Amino acid sequence: MFETVLIANRGEIALRVLRACKELGVRTAVVYSAADADSAVVRLADQAVRIGPASSRRSYLNAAAIVEAARQVGAQAVHPGYGFLSEDADFAEICADNGLTFIGPPPAVMAALADKSSARALMSRAGLPLSPGSVAPVPNAAAAAEVAEAVGYPVIVKATAGGGGRGMTVVHTPGELRRAYARTRAAAQAAFGDDRVYVERYLSEARHVEVQVLCDSHGNGVHLGTRDCSVQRRHQKLVEEAPAPALPAAVLDTIAETALRGALQVGFVGAGTLEFLVDAEEQFHFLEINCRIQVEHPVTEMVTGIDLVHEQLHIAAGVPLRWRQEEIHLHGVAVECRVNTEDPDRDFAPTPGRLERFTPPGGPFTRVDTHASAGYLIGPWYDSLLAKVIVWAPDRELALNRLERALDEFVIAGPGVHTTIPFVRRVLDDAAFRKGRYTTGLVDRLLAAPAAAPAQRPTATPAPRPASAAEPDVTHRRTR
C-alpha cells in the first residue's frame, strides 16, 4: 500500500477519499484553491498545498501544479476523485512520467474510453449492444443527416469528448438537425477542445441503468450489480438507487455480466461504471463507460458492504482483487438523492451564499456525504453539489420512506440559499417512481406539471376534535 496519497479534488469527494485513506493507514495530502482554504478536507489532511486561486483552470485543473504538490509532499499516488482531471488521460500520463501512480485505469486505456466514439467501437467489438447510430464521428451535417434518416428520429448529437451531461443535443425533426449539429460542435470545442460529434437514436422513454465493476491489473474482475439513474435533468442525475427496480432479475444479471465482460476485454483497471439505456422491450444498449468513482457510488456500497474507495486504493497499489464474483451479494435497497444549492423555481439556478444553519439528518441506515457545516460559504466557482443523502432498507418502500424522513430532518438555511430538496420530494411522491416504473422522461414530466403545495404541519396544538370526526387524508407532513 502507498505511504502517502495526494487527493486532487475538493468538496465531499475529497473528504470521502481522505477518510478511506486514513482507515487504511495511508497519509493524506490535499491540494486546495484560495476559495477552499478553510475547508474540512484541508483541516483534516496530514498535509495541504495551496495551488492557485478560486478559478478551476488555475487550481484543480492545473496539472503541473498538482504534480508539483505531489512531489513536494512525497506522495506515491494521486487520487483524482470525480470531475476535474479524473478522466484526463494526459494528466494520468503526466503522473506516470513523474513516478506517480494515477488511481484509475492506464493512460492508454483511459484515452480510448474517454473518447465516446472510440469507446463505442471498442465495446461493439467486445460484443456489447449499441444504440443504433454512428460509431465513428460524423464529419459534417450532411453525414449526420444520413445517419439520422437511417436510424429514425429523434436522435441525439453527442460530443465524443463529452461527459457530465454536457455536449449533447436532442433533435426531434430533420429541420432541427443542421443547427443542432453546428451548435453541439461549437459547444464541444469550447468545453473540451474537441469538436468531434457522433449521432445515435435517442430513446426518450428509456431506463438509465449502470453497472459498477472492479478490475485489477492481473486480469481479474467482478461486477457489483446495477444502479438506476433515470431521474435526471439535462442528463444530470438527481436520484439514484441500487439495484435497478422493476426489471426482471435475469435482465439485470445479463446487463451486469455483459458489462464486466466488456470492461475486461478492453483492459480496464480500477473502479469503473458502464452505463446502458434499457428500452420498453427490456433490450439494453451500451451508452458509455466512466473511468472513475461515481457520485452515486454510495448506493452500491450500501447494498454490497464493499468500500469502493478502499478497493480503488488496493487495485492501484497492485494488490490482486480481493473479491470473487460468487462472494458478491446484494442485500436490500439503497437510494441516494443529491442536494444541490439550486433553486428549482428559477430553472435550477445556482444559489451561492453562507450557511447560517446546517444540520444533516441522522437515524438508522442513513448516511450523509458532505463537506459543509454551519458557516460554510457556498461560492459561485464550483459545482453546486452540497451533500448526498443515502439510505438503506430491506425493501424499496421502506427505503423511500426513510429517505423522505431524512429529508424532513435536513436543515439548510442561509440568506439566498435554496436547495433541490423540494423537487426531490416531488420525485419521491410520483406514482410511477413509487412503483419503480419510471424513465428518463420523469423529470421533464414533473417540470411540465404544476407543483402541488405541500401540506403544512400545525404550528400550535390543534383544538380537540369530536370523537366522531374522521381523520384527514394527509399525504405530506412537511414545512419548508
Side-chain angles (χ1 to χ4, degrees), residues 88-169:
D88 189 311
D90 290 338
F91 177 61
E93 190 168 0
I94 291 169
C95 287
D97 289 344
N98 283 272
L100 296 166
T101 298
F102 177 86
I103 298 178
V109 174
M110 182 180 291
L113 296 178
D115 183 304
K116 302 297 187 284
S117 181
S118 170
R120 280 170 61 85
L122 287 170
M123 291 302 174
S124 178
R125 289 198 291 270
L128 275 66
L130 306 180
S131 297
S134 61
V135 175
V138 288
N140 51 53
E146 290 180 9
V147 174
E149 184 177 352
V151 303
Y153 287 88
V155 297
I156 184 167
V157 184
K158 292 184 175 181
T160 64
R166 298 179 298 166
M168 305 181 190
T169 306

Side-chain angles (χ1 to χ4, degrees), residues 36 93 127 179 189 279 303 353 408 439 450 479:
D36 288 328
E93 190 168 0
R179 179 176 294 180
Q189 180 64 41
D279 62 26
V303 297
D408 280 346
T439 70
T479 55

Side-chain angles (χ1 to χ4, degrees), residues 50-388:
R50 178 169 167 170
I51 55 170
S55 166
S56 295
R57 290 195 177 278
R58 298 174 61 190
S59 54
Y60 298 108
L61 292 172
N62 187 339
I66 292 170
V67 169
E68 179 57 31
R71 295 175 65 178
Q72 286 180 23
V73 300
Q76 295 83 47
V78 175
H79 196 302
Y82 54 69
F84 294 129
L85 297 172
S86 62
E87 292 183 285
D88 189 311
D90 290 338
F91 177 61
E93 190 168 0
I94 291 169
C95 287
D97 289 344
N98 283 272
L100 296 166
T101 298
F102 177 86
I103 298 178
V109 174
M110 182 180 291
L113 296 178
D115 183 304
K116 302 297 187 284
S117 181
S118 170
R120 280 170 61 85
L122 287 170
M123 291 302 174
S124 178
R125 289 198 291 270
L128 275 66
L130 306 180
S131 297
S134 61
V135 175
V138 288
N140 51 53
E146 290 180 9
V147 174
E149 184 177 352
V151 303
Y153 287 88
V155 297
I156 184 167
V157 184
K158 292 184 175 181
T160 64
R166 298 179 298 166
M168 305 181 190
T169 306
V170 177
V171 182
H172 294 278
T173 65
E176 303 171 31
L177 182 60
R178 183 172 294 275
R179 179 176 294 180
Y181 175 84
R183 187 170 63 247
T184 307
R185 285 192 67 170
Q189 180 64 41
F192 313 113
D194 183 345
D195 70 349
R196 293 175 304 144
V197 299
Y198 63 98
V199 178
E200 65 182 19
R201 179 69 189 271
Y202 179 65
L203 302 176
S204 56
E205 292 294 328
R207 299 277 295 277
H208 188 136
V209 176
E210 61 186 32
V211 178
Q212 178 72 59
V213 298
L214 294 172
C215 302
D216 65 19
S217 55
H218 306 279
N220 305 305
V222 295
H223 70 75
L224 280 70
T226 60
R227 299 188 287 253
D228 194 301
C229 304
S230 302
V231 182
Q232 42 185 273
R233 171 184 171 270
R234 297 179 182 173
H235 308 290
Q236 294 285 333
K237 301 165 187 173
L238 298 174
V239 178
E240 302 100 344
E241 60 181 300
L247 285 171
V251 172
L252 296 180
D253 289 345
T254 300
I255 295 173
E257 291 162 4
T258 302
L260 178 60
R261 184 179 72 246
L264 289 172
Q265 288 195 25
V266 301
F268 185 83
V269 175
T273 298
L274 286 88
E275 303 193 0
F276 299 86
L277 289 178
V278 182
D279 62 26
E281 287 73 43
E282 297 177 352
Q283 299 298 307
F284 60 95
H285 313 270
F286 172 76
L287 192 61
E288 64 182 24
I289 180 170
N290 293 297
C291 302
R292 53 173 167 78
I293 196 77
Q294 293 278 88
V295 177
E296 61 270 20
H297 76 273
V299 292
T300 296
E301 294 182 327
M302 297 284 266
V303 297
T304 62
I306 296 174
D307 188 309
L308 293 177
V309 182
H310 282 190
E311 298 309 315
Q312 281 190 298
L313 293 164
H314 286 299
I315 290 169
V319 177
L321 198 62
R322 304 188 303 158
W323 303 90
R324 293 177 297 180
Q325 191 62 57
E326 59 268 25
E327 297 173 321
I328 308 296
H329 303 287
L330 307 185
H331 302 282
V333 173
V335 187
E336 170 186 293
C337 79
R338 305 187 189 192
V339 179
N340 299 329
T341 50
E342 301 169 352
D343 186 352
D345 293 333
R346 293 192 297 123
D347 196 28
F348 292 81
T351 59
R354 190 173 296 278
L355 296 177
E356 293 182 342
R357 290 187 294 157
F358 187 82
T359 307
F365 306 109
T366 302
R367 166 179 169 179
V368 180
D369 285 11
T370 184
H371 55 291
S373 59
Y376 176 73
L377 177 63
I378 304 162
W381 309 285
Y382 310 116
D383 184 88
S384 60
L385 180 64
L386 185 71
K388 304 181 309 196

